[in-house]
Amino acid sequence: MSEGRLIIASNRLPIVIKKENEKDFSMTPGKGGLVTAMAPVLRDRGGIWLGWPGITDEDNISDKKLKELMDKGIKDSGYDLEPIIFSQEEAEKYYEGFSNEIIWPLFHDLPSLCNFKEEYWNIYKDVNERFASKLTEKAKPEDFIWVHDYHLINVATRLRKRSLTNKIGFFLHIPFPPLDVFLKLPWRREILQSLLDYDLIGFQTQRDKRNFLQCVRRVLRFRVQARGTKNMVYIKNHNRKVSVAAFPISIDYDSFAEGAESENVAKRAWFLHENLPNRTLILGIDRLDYTKGIPFKLKAFKRALEKYPELHKNISLVQILVPSRVHIPKYRELKENIEKLVGEINGKFTELGWVPVYYIFRSMTREELLAYYRTSEIAFVTPLKDGMNLVVKEFCASNIEETGVVILSEFAGAAAQLGEDSILVNPYDVERTADAIYNAFTSDYTYRKRRMRKLRRSIKKYDIFWWVNEFLEYGKEE
């Protein structure tokens, strides 16, 4: 494949536009590893990023204002933005509906939470068609198109129907479910066939790749072949060869490590130490979502306090909960349950000068997060299932004293890479997770130092830039 531009399609653009009032709109630059990693590649190769800017057509933003805000967001970046603005119905049925009431729970092994509405599927296809239409309009034959995540699975199928011959890659940022769970999806054949219209499919872990290949074999009866000794396998889809591999996503390690060493973060970390003296801090940072296992985490912490009285006054859990989808009843109920559990723990165990759980429900600035990462001795990362989990990698990169301990769910995607040097737990097993908290608290300095050094070395080697380069290198192969 000749070196053309890179065209990225994702649900969200690397900026967020918000309507403030009848006349005014605001723009916030995107955050996160994906934006950080893609910016230099797009700058070098040139390219376009397609996605939703966060507003609907009912917000009535003018083309002039929209362009002004987008240009401001990517000033001197070397690439262009192409907005896909949804109707209110599309936002509800494509994004909140099919994407987050069907694919999200199903792919996290929670089919009982799915809402299998046919109209969601129809709107999902319509939105994917809109992305494909814009890509067809903008792509040159030598461009490499990289589609991201579960919102846009159907895009390649729409592009193939338009006879587009470009190389098209896809990366799934969430887990891929095992066969018995995937079979519950009414549109299982269509989803698999849509994925096989890509040239390269990337998953977070070998587990996800195996699950996908098993579904392809059993549902579509396609033949799967290994390719040498590499990570890659390929599938014959009519006259095309589809490559499938695992590419564990990561973070900008240097950015977190250097940020944790900054003077401002050091001051914030010192302030936290001063306000919580003579205390081991165990840190949980989670988005409000039922896949994060927060109630199980709190029950395990409560059990640890019941089982090990020596933890009293010597350990506190800082649970940061980032708001998400609070307008959805299931999420409101989850928040209420979490707050009830926090209240029960603090009501039962609080003593003069000691609060067991510090609960924070808000988004945090980068500096605040880095200060908590740097100050805390134990990371408590126990999702019921996720694609990778970057919080654990951020904690390790920010742990510049290299004395932290990681308690990590065996169902986190990061467990495949970091499990050997973490304390692995089954988050459903409250009793043994409580034991893990005690073991982390009592672990000696040498143990901590050795393991954290290995964790940091692995994350530094396989950072976000390695991930991008690895995927694009595979994307070049014929």
Side-chain angles (χ1 to χ4, degrees):
M1 185 189 79
S2 61
E3 186 86 338
R5 298 176 304 169
L6 177 61
I7 301 183
I8 295 173
S10 62
N11 178 60
R12 288 281 193 171
L13 284 175
I15 62 166
V16 178
I17 296 175
K18 183 180 177 183
K19 187 169 187 177
E20 299 292 345
N21 52 51
E22 286 302 313
K23 295 182 180 179
D24 297 323
F25 293 84
S26 63
M27 184 279 302
T28 307
K31 298 177 182 178
L34 187 62
V35 177
T36 302
M38 291 301 180
V41 181
L42 286 163
R43 189 183 304 115
D44 292 342
R45 289 178 59 162
I48 303 171
W49 195 319
L50 281 81
W52 179 34
I55 51 176
T56 67
D57 54 12
E58 292 183 8
D59 292 314
N60 295 316
I61 190 170
S62 67
D63 292 343
K64 181 181 178 182
K65 185 63 177 179
L66 178 59
K67 186 176 187 310
E68 175 190 318
L69 290 171
M70 290 194 303
D71 289 345
K72 181 181 177 184
I74 56 162
K75 186 177 180 182
D76 302 322
S77 64
Y79 64 94
D80 298 319
L81 297 182
E82 283 293 335
I84 308 288
I85 298 181
F86 303 154
S87 68
Q88 191 60 41
E89 182 183 33
E90 287 170 337
E92 290 172 0
K93 294 178 180 177
Y94 145 80
Y95 178 66
E96 293 184 3
F98 192 83
S99 298
N100 290 313
E101 288 186 27
I102 298 178
I103 295 294
W104 178 266
L106 187 79
F107 280 37
H108 286 87
D109 296 356
L110 296 166
S112 63
L113 298 180
C114 292
N115 187 5
F116 296 114
K117 286 188 176 181
E118 187 73 26
E119 61 180 324
Y120 288 173
W121 170 238
N122 292 330
I123 296 291
Y124 181 83
K125 289 187 292 183
D126 290 345
V127 172
N128 277 242
E129 173 65 28
R130 290 184 58 196
F131 273 84
S133 176
K134 183 66 74 173
L135 285 166
T136 305
E137 176 189 330
K138 297 295 179 180
K140 299 175 183 177
E142 67 274 13
D143 293 339
F144 181 75
I145 299 171
W146 191 355
V147 179
H148 286 268
D149 223 0
Y150 60 106
H151 315 85
L152 301 176
I153 290 172
N154 197 232
V155 164
T157 295
R158 304 284 155 177
L159 291 173
R160 299 304 180 195
K161 288 180 178 178
R162 293 164 177 269
S163 302
L164 205 76
T165 58
N166 296 63
K167 279 289 190 95
I168 313 172
F170 177 83
F171 186 80
L172 184 67
H173 291 256
I174 65 172
F176 195 91
L179 177 66
D180 60 330
V181 175
F182 185 76
L183 286 176
K184 293 177 171 61
L185 183 66
W187 311 278
R188 59 202 185 199
R189 292 185 64 87
E190 292 93 329
I191 288 293
L192 288 178
Q193 287 167 338
S194 292
L195 285 167
L196 293 179
D197 278 325
Y198 291 94
D199 296 289
L200 171 62
I201 309 168
F203 295 98
Q204 296 275 23
T205 67
Q206 294 293 339
R207 173 199 64 196
D208 300 318
K209 185 179 79 171
R210 285 194 300 270
N211 286 346
F212 170 72
L213 295 176
Q214 185 184 25
C215 290
V216 169
R217 289 188 185 103
R218 292 289 299 277
V219 177
L220 299 182
R221 306 294 180 185
F222 277 31
R223 187 180 178 189
V224 177
Q225 295 182 353
R227 186 179 186 179
T229 59
K230 286 188 176 183
N231 172 31
M232 185 75 70
V233 299
Y234 68 86
I235 301 167
K236 191 78 172 177
N237 183 18
H238 304 296
N239 295 321
R240 287 191 315 102
K241 181 174 66 178
V242 182
S243 301
V244 183
F247 304 94
I249 197 170
S250 193
I251 61 169
D252 183 350
Y253 175 92
D254 290 337
S255 174
F256 279 91
E258 291 165 10
E261 290 179 336
S262 71
E263 185 178 349
N264 286 343
V265 169
K267 286 179 180 177
R268 285 181 179 272
W270 178 85
F271 180 78
L272 289 170
H273 270 300
E274 285 293 298
N275 280 272
L276 298 168
N278 306 316
R279 191 97 36 98
T280 293
L281 293 186
I282 178 168
L283 179 65
I285 300 179
D286 302 279
R287 183 169 55 82
L288 178 62
D289 193 273
Y290 45 79
T291 65
K292 302 303 180 184
I294 305 161
F296 290 97
K297 176 190 292 188
L298 291 168
K299 289 173 184 176
F301 185 69
K302 180 183 179 184
R303 181 63 186 133
L305 295 179
E306 292 170 343
K307 196 172 182 179
Y308 302 104
E310 55 266 51
L311 296 178
H312 295 195
K313 291 193 172 184
N314 291 315
I315 192 169
S316 286
L317 169 63
V318 178
Q319 179 59 56
I320 299 169
L321 195 60
V322 180
S324 174
R325 305 174 192 162
V326 288
H327 61 286
I328 296 175
K330 281 190 179 74
Y331 286 78
R332 283 201 303 272
E333 290 168 14
L334 175 61
K335 179 175 178 287
E336 290 167 4
N337 185 24
I338 290 167
E339 290 171 351
K340 180 182 176 184
L341 287 167
V342 170
E344 287 175 0
I345 295 168
N346 285 341
K348 181 175 181 179
F349 295 102
T350 295
E351 299 179 31
L352 186 64
W354 175 58
V355 177
V357 183
Y358 291 89
Y359 168 72
I360 302 167
F361 182 69
R362 63 179 174 85
S363 297
M364 290 206 161
T365 66
R366 182 179 174 85
E367 274 192 1
E368 286 179 298
L369 285 175
L370 286 170
Y372 276 107
Y373 283 144
R374 181 169 170 175
T375 307
S376 303
E377 288 85 1
I378 302 170
F380 199 9
V381 184
T382 52
L384 304 181
K385 189 169 186 180
D386 62 16
M388 178 51 55
N389 195 294
L390 298 181
V391 165
V392 64
K393 295 191 175 187
E394 292 172 3
F395 172 82
C396 293
S398 306
N399 194 245
I400 55 178
E401 286 86 6
E402 297 187 328
T403 55
V405 183
V406 173
I407 299 173
L408 182 62
S409 167
E410 60 191 45
F411 307 126
Q417 179 185 354
L418 308 179
E420 185 177 336
D421 295 295
S422 304
I423 300 176
L424 282 182
V425 297
N426 174 353
Y428 294 99
D429 189 341
V430 169
E431 194 72 23
R432 285 171 181 77
T433 304
D435 294 340
I437 293 170
Y438 181 74
N439 292 337
F441 173 76
T442 57
S443 59
D444 64 37
Y445 178 85
T446 304
Y447 166 92
R448 293 178 179 222
K449 199 81 176 174
R450 184 179 69 251
R451 294 214 171 183
M452 183 50 67
R453 279 180 177 168
K454 288 174 69 178
L455 289 167
R456 296 183 88 228
R457 196 157 49 236
S458 176
I459 297 163
K460 182 176 176 64
K461 181 177 180 180
Y462 301 107
D463 66 1
I464 188 69
F465 303 105
W466 169 88
W467 174 76
V468 170
N469 292 336
E470 192 80 354
F471 191 96
L472 294 178
E473 280 302 308
Y474 274 117
K476 290 179 183 178
E477 296 183 17
E478 296 297 335

